[in-house]
Amino acid sequence: MTTDTHLPVPSTRPRVEGFRGEVVVPGDPSYDAARRVWNHAIDRYPSLVLRCHDTDDVRAAVAHARAHGLVVAVRAGGHSMAGLGVCDDGVVVDLSPMKGIAVDPARRIATVEPGVIWRELDAATQEHGLAVPGGEVSDTGVAGLTLGGGIGWLGRTHGLACDNLRAVTMVTAEGRVVRASATEHPELFWAVRGAGANFGVVTALELDLHPVGPVLWGGEVIHPGARDVEALRSLVDLAGRVPEETRLMAALVTAPDAPFVPPEAVGSPVCVLAGAHCGAVEEGRATLAPLQATGPVVDTLRELSYVELQQVVDKTLPPARRAYVKSDFLGPLDDDALTVLADWHHRASSPHCQLLLHQLGGALDREPEGGTAYPARGAAWMVTAVAIWLDPEESPEPHVAWARGVWEALRPWSVGTYVNHLGDEGADRVREAYGASYERLVALKQEWDRDNVFRLNQNLAPCPRLA
Ligand SMILES: Cc1cc2nc3c(=O)[nH]c(=O)nc-3n(C[C@H](O)[C@H](O)[C@H](O)COP(=O)(O)OP(=O)(O)OC[C@H]3O[C@@H](n4cnc5c(N)ncnc54)[C@H](O)[C@@H]3O)c2cc1C
């Protein structure tokens, strides 16, 4: 809870050598907006926010923090569940003003600065009928999502966002500007594809483009919560038969008061089954037809543009709420697992809670195990319990307990965890997230960031320096 004692006193504006961006300090009119992230359960007060406009600004910001012994938080889209893009007392290296996008349709490469969010990249690439596989919520940052993996609608067709990374430009802890690709610092390039927040500040990402859309087949069908297990079973059965172009998901939620929800269902638990087919519309219609055959009370499957698909989930996860998230990758799901999901759906701590199940597989498993630092090839599903509450005065306890309860109950099916969905969960969970890549990553951290300047991430702590 915020109390007046947390409010920092207005501070004088320091001179930041070589920095030409905006310097925001406590007391500035823009300070409160600059320190806020997606998750308003995170309420931190940095002493300085340095809003960078280019790579030189990033170098100056990192050098300033190091020279003054200040903690560094690197912020792009601000969607870290744990609020890792902001810190108390230290410096926020705010990349959000860096909005450059260059699309090269002939070479099928997009070069993207780290302040770009998915909605902006999708709009620019779809002008050419192309897309980079991204996430599902269009205001997440391209940088943070890609550097930790990046799972979305195109994943089963074209892989993770990080599988589509060709190269990055990065400011290192020492202030060097390096490019990492398959041929330049290849070991660093391996590491940034899954653990990228640990090694420096990425100031440009070069990403593969694929022909997508513009029109696809997708949408949702909705069942009453009383039919959770039956509906989920139909989804799991279908998942075993669909081609790689199709991706399925389920959302166990409380029905919102929306035009497409029958009045009698509003406020009650419902099971949303969603799907999208990233190939021909007619093929998608046939592939997803079994979802319609299960007797849903709402059916919104339709032709939709890729840009629309990328924003379908936005309204259900808006910024500025309070959230606590627990997530794991899961193996094949049997009826016992589906019963666990249904049970916890009906015990949600608030009407805003969401229990999400994402289909994986397909092209997500094409990259060989160990080919990138992202370790979780071969998982069948990802489950994410998103506890959300609105009142800042409310205790987080019941919501945290609900998300943890879901997670514990599903541990028997767990096969790992996703670094981008990790909260502040301790060293064992960080190790679990990096899986088989962990030791190799720690050795690289030693090489590139020996003093752990970049520690506000799912951190690979290097060995302390000997005096
Ligand atoms: C509403 C919502 C929806 C989501 N949906 C998806 C989804 O569909 N698929 C998916 O895979 N994930 C999803 N995520 C998780 C998301 O991938 C992570 O939260 C991701 O880290 C967000 O990146 P960001 O740039 O927005 O966040 P930030 O908080 O700005 O950054 C996240 C982390 O990356 C580091 N970082 C950011 N930019 C850089 C950079 N340029 N160089 C070095 N380090 C950097 C930060 O220091 C921080 O540690 C979602 C999260 C939310 C809140």
Side-chain angles (χ1 to χ4, degrees):
M1 198 208 313
T2 313
T3 65
D4 285 341
T5 54
H6 284 111
L7 293 172
V9 281
S11 52
T12 48
R13 202 170 309 279
R15 207 180 99 69
V16 181
E17 187 73 38
F19 185 79
R20 286 170 304 180
E22 190 190 347
V23 177
V24 182
V25 294
D28 282 347
S30 58
Y31 177 75
D32 218 40
R35 73 178 185 85
R36 278 301 194 178
V37 289
W38 176 84
N39 183 359
H40 274 207
I42 308 295
D43 192 21
R44 299 190 184 131
Y45 292 85
S47 58
L48 192 58
V49 179
L50 295 175
R51 293 173 56 77
C52 303
H53 290 271
D54 57 24
T55 300
D56 286 344
D57 280 350
V58 173
R59 288 182 69 201
V62 172
H64 180 85
R66 290 205 74 171
H68 294 83
L70 295 166
V71 166
V72 177
V74 178
R75 179 221 170 95
H79 277 53
S80 153
M81 313 279 185
L84 293 165
V86 65
C87 53
D88 274 323
D89 304 325
V91 175
V92 174
V93 179
D94 183 357
L95 306 168
S96 58
M98 296 178 68
K99 290 284 190 192
I101 301 175
V103 177
D104 183 338
R107 290 171 62 224
R108 296 227 173 129
I109 292 181
T111 305
V112 181
E113 287 192 330
V116 172
I117 59 174
W118 282 101
R119 183 189 309 150
E120 294 158 348
L121 183 57
D122 290 339
T125 56
Q126 277 289 281
E127 274 183 29
H128 305 274
L130 300 168
V132 177
E136 281 158 21
V137 174
S138 74
D139 59 0
T140 45
V142 172
L145 186 134
T146 303
L147 297 174
I151 300 170
W153 288 114
L154 295 183
R156 286 175 40 81
T157 321
H158 296 299
L160 296 165
C162 79
D163 295 339
N164 288 278
L165 200 53
R166 290 258 185 117
V168 293
T169 304
M170 179 185 272
V171 173
T172 69
E174 317 264 271
R176 281 166 60 208
V177 178
V178 298
R179 207 180 119 90
S181 68
T183 53
E184 302 142 291
H185 301 296
E187 198 50 13
L188 180 62
F189 185 55
W190 170 83
V192 298
R193 288 173 294 159
N198 266 277
F199 296 95
V201 185
V202 169
T203 56
L205 303 97
E206 290 171 37
L207 290 149
D208 283 329
L209 290 163
H210 303 273
V212 172
V215 178
L216 311 169
W217 183 258
E220 309 85 26
V221 300
I222 303 182
H223 292 266
R227 295 218 305 262
D228 273 356
V229 174
E230 190 188 333
L232 290 172
R233 193 184 296 125
S234 72
L235 187 86
V236 168
D237 288 348
L238 182 61
R241 306 196 302 272
V242 294
E244 289 191 349
E245 290 80 9
T246 302
R247 199 278 188 121
L248 303 173
M249 70 167 286
L252 302 176
V253 295
T254 301
D257 189 358
F260 59 88
V261 177
E264 63 279 11
V266 172
S268 59
V270 288
C271 175
V272 181
L273 306 182
H277 182 80
C278 300
V281 167
E282 281 319 309
E283 210 175 85
R285 193 193 296 269
T287 307
L288 293 175
L291 291 181
Q292 299 169 299
T294 51
V297 290
V298 175
D299 177 353
T300 72
L301 283 165
R302 62 196 182 279
E303 282 188 24
L304 75 178
S305 72
Y306 176 67
V307 166
E308 187 187 350
L309 172 68
Q310 284 290 89
Q311 299 181 17
V312 157
V313 181
D314 285 11
K315 58 187 176 304
T316 70
L317 287 168
R321 294 175 166 193
R322 283 137 197 90
Y324 181 85
V325 175
K326 284 290 273 190
S327 177
D328 263 352
F329 291 121
L330 305 177
L333 296 177
D334 53 22
D335 268 10
D336 287 348
L338 305 184
T339 305
V340 167
L341 283 162
D343 180 30
W344 283 92
H345 177 204
H346 291 264
R347 293 159 69 177
S349 59
S350 110
H352 308 286
C353 289
Q354 303 188 12
L355 198 37
L356 306 173
L357 194 61
H358 289 101
Q359 185 192 11
L360 304 175
L364 295 169
D365 298 340
R366 219 176 271 155
E367 186 72 34
E369 193 77 51
T372 62
Y374 175 91
R377 311 288 170 181
W381 298 92
M382 178 170 69
V383 68
T384 309
V386 189
I388 295 177
W389 64 104
L390 306 185
D391 183 354
E393 300 304 323
E394 201 180 330
S395 162
E397 235 166 76
H399 309 296
V400 171
W402 175 77
R404 287 190 181 155
V406 173
W407 173 76
E408 268 162 30
L410 287 167
R411 279 307 263 177
W413 291 271
S414 170
V415 292
T417 198
Y418 181 30
V419 74
N420 270 353
H421 281 185
L422 210 53
D424 185 3
E425 300 181 38
D428 287 349
R429 283 285 279 168
V430 173
R431 187 180 263 268
E432 188 182 347
Y434 294 123
S437 301
Y438 183 80
E439 307 294 344
R440 187 170 161 192
L441 285 169
V442 170
L444 276 163
K445 179 77 174 178
Q446 202 89 348
E447 187 183 334
W448 288 95
D449 185 17
R450 184 81 156 84
D451 294 325
N452 208 8
V453 171
F454 304 111
R455 74 186 65 158
L456 285 181
N457 42 51
Q458 300 301 345
N459 195 229
L460 298 155
C463 301
R465 258 187 215 282
L466 297 175

